[in-house]
Amino acid sequence: MEIRVPEVSIGSCGLNMPVIGMGTASYPPADAETIKSAVLEAIKAGYRHFDTAFVYGSEQPLGEAIAEALNIGLIKSRDELFITSKLWCSFADQDLVIPAIKMSLENLQLDYLDLYLIHWPLKFSKEVSRVPIPKEDVFPLDIKSVWSAMEECQHLGLTKAIGVSNFSSKRLEEILSFAKIPPAVDQVEMNPLWQQKELKEFCKAKGIHVTAHSPLGSKGTIWGNSRILDCDGLKEIAEARGKTTAQIALRWVYEQGASVITKSFNKERMKENLEILDWSLSMEELNKISCLPQRKGGSPSTFLEPSDLVKELEAEL
């Protein structure tokens, strides 16, 4: 049976976004047919929010899945879906933003996005499509000129809303100092072992919605780990409640007022990830989760993940 996912209003335009989205990033990258089939299964299960990015290589198969879903009647209109994509760091230049979103729209076979995000507060000097990234290829982002181009994307109707991803409170404050259209969303890694308490409070005060990516720690990727699913504290709550550890982690994110991007191409786990809406965590369980040890940042190296590069650049500013 299809599950109906509630929506949250984002941005000054009051755009409605489903609070659970399906992510399409995978490592190693999945083949196009696998992604397409998974998206179709997700639509059948009740997902209406799909998260992609140029660098994921999933825009084209997602677009093909949307076209097929319309063709076979899974959805009646593209307007039933909420599609998010992201500006990759290689295109983080004022003159490249509009060509980049148009390229994403072409890949997706769409006329508009619902949400377009700056993927990282970084600029790469050349085409970089994989991590780790050499330090010499990374530069600070000229956020004022790039944000101006993002605003133009919204003015042109290429996207309904704009936002950022992996931005700190400090970077958000910078954007808010000059933005004509403030960011509707900041999509960041957030989970019971990286709770983002300060950022959450900042965004709440500024009217910026937080979306959690990597809510389960991105197990199986070169940048993620299995700490969430292996966490004894979360396992104990899951066993007592008759839920999976993943469901406890996802429900915790939802109860923080954030929306969540889940990622599974497994049909059963897709359904499980949606089954977090009709129950809640007790105050005792929430207190137990709030006391879990938090993730620490990575250490400097010649090749770094984007999150570590952001920390280094911010320390220099």
Side-chain angles (χ1 to χ4, degrees):
M1 185 178 69
E2 181 181 308
I3 295 173
R4 292 188 63 83
V5 177
E7 298 178 330
V8 62
S9 177
I10 63 167
S12 56
C13 58
L15 182 66
N16 290 326
M17 179 177 75
V19 296
I20 303 175
M22 177 181 170
T24 59
S26 59
Y27 186 87
D31 63 86
E33 193 55 42
T34 297
I35 296 171
K36 179 181 174 182
S37 297
V39 170
L40 289 169
E41 287 295 336
I43 292 173
K44 292 175 186 175
Y47 289 87
R48 293 296 182 268
H49 177 183
F50 293 91
D51 182 271
T52 184
F54 172 82
V55 76
Y56 299 164
S58 60
E59 288 177 332
Q60 193 165 340
L62 173 57
E64 291 172 359
I66 294 169
E68 183 162 334
L70 286 164
N71 187 47
I72 63 178
L74 283 181
I75 53 174
K76 295 179 181 178
S77 166
R78 177 265 180 266
D79 295 344
E80 293 179 34
L81 301 179
F82 190 102
I83 307 299
T84 299
S85 193
K86 307 179 191 75
L87 175 77
W88 183 234
C89 307
S90 302
F91 309 127
D93 185 276
Q94 184 173 20
D95 295 334
L96 298 179
V97 174
I98 290 176
I101 191 174
K102 287 182 175 178
M103 182 165 51
S104 289
L105 289 170
E106 183 177 349
N107 289 340
L108 287 158
Q109 304 176 51
L110 298 178
D111 295 325
Y112 68 91
L113 294 173
D114 294 279
L115 180 62
Y116 196 47
L117 307 177
I118 299 176
H119 206 147
W120 288 92
L122 300 168
K123 179 181 177 180
F124 295 156
S125 60
K126 58 184 179 180
E127 184 77 19
V128 176
S129 59
R130 63 185 64 187
V131 291
I133 301 151
K135 285 185 184 180
E136 60 268 21
D137 287 340
V138 182
F139 299 91
L141 180 69
D142 180 1
I143 186 58
K144 189 169 186 178
S145 66
V146 171
W147 190 253
S148 175
M150 293 287 287
E151 291 175 329
E152 185 63 16
C153 289
Q154 184 166 331
H155 288 314
L156 292 172
L158 300 172
T159 182
K160 290 187 174 182
I162 52 177
V164 296
S165 181
N166 305 302
F167 272 54
S168 65
S169 302
K170 180 179 178 180
R171 289 301 177 93
L172 287 170
E173 192 81 75
E174 186 180 355
I175 293 179
L176 291 171
S177 71
F178 55 73
K180 296 174 183 174
I181 303 173
V185 166
D186 189 7
Q187 185 184 119
V188 297
E189 180 171 351
M190 177 180 165
N191 52 57
L193 301 184
W194 195 358
Q195 297 184 8
Q196 299 278 18
K197 292 178 182 178
E198 291 181 11
L199 180 64
K200 272 189 305 179
E201 290 305 311
F202 177 88
C203 288
K204 184 177 180 180
K206 301 296 183 180
I208 299 170
H209 178 75
V210 174
T211 295
H213 71 67
S214 308
L216 304 179
S218 297
K219 180 181 178 182
T221 68
I222 58 173
W223 58 85
N225 56 54
S226 60
R227 287 181 66 214
I228 300 291
L229 298 179
D230 292 343
C231 175
D232 289 338
L234 295 176
K235 282 182 176 179
E236 288 170 8
I237 296 172
E239 288 170 8
R241 296 297 300 269
K243 306 293 182 184
T244 67
T245 305
Q247 286 174 325
I248 298 299
L250 294 173
R251 178 69 200 188
W252 177 85
V253 171
Y254 177 61
E255 291 194 20
Q256 305 313 298
S259 52
V260 59
I261 303 299
T262 68
K263 206 293 294 180
S264 178
F265 292 166
N266 177 283
K267 185 176 177 180
E268 291 308 310
R269 283 197 291 272
M270 275 186 212
K271 291 179 181 177
E272 286 179 359
N273 290 343
L274 287 178
E275 293 170 348
I276 63 166
L277 299 167
D278 59 353
W279 54 279
S280 59
L281 295 165
S282 68
M283 188 58 66
E284 181 183 354
E285 290 163 342
L286 289 169
N287 289 337
K288 184 174 183 178
I289 292 172
S290 72
C291 295
L292 291 172
Q294 297 298 290
R295 164 183 162 168
K296 292 181 173 63
S299 57
S301 63
T302 303
F303 295 89
L304 292 175
E305 306 304 326
S307 57
D308 293 313
L309 288 163
V310 170
K311 291 186 188 105
E312 285 206 352
L313 284 172
E314 289 198 338
E316 293 170 6
L317 294 176

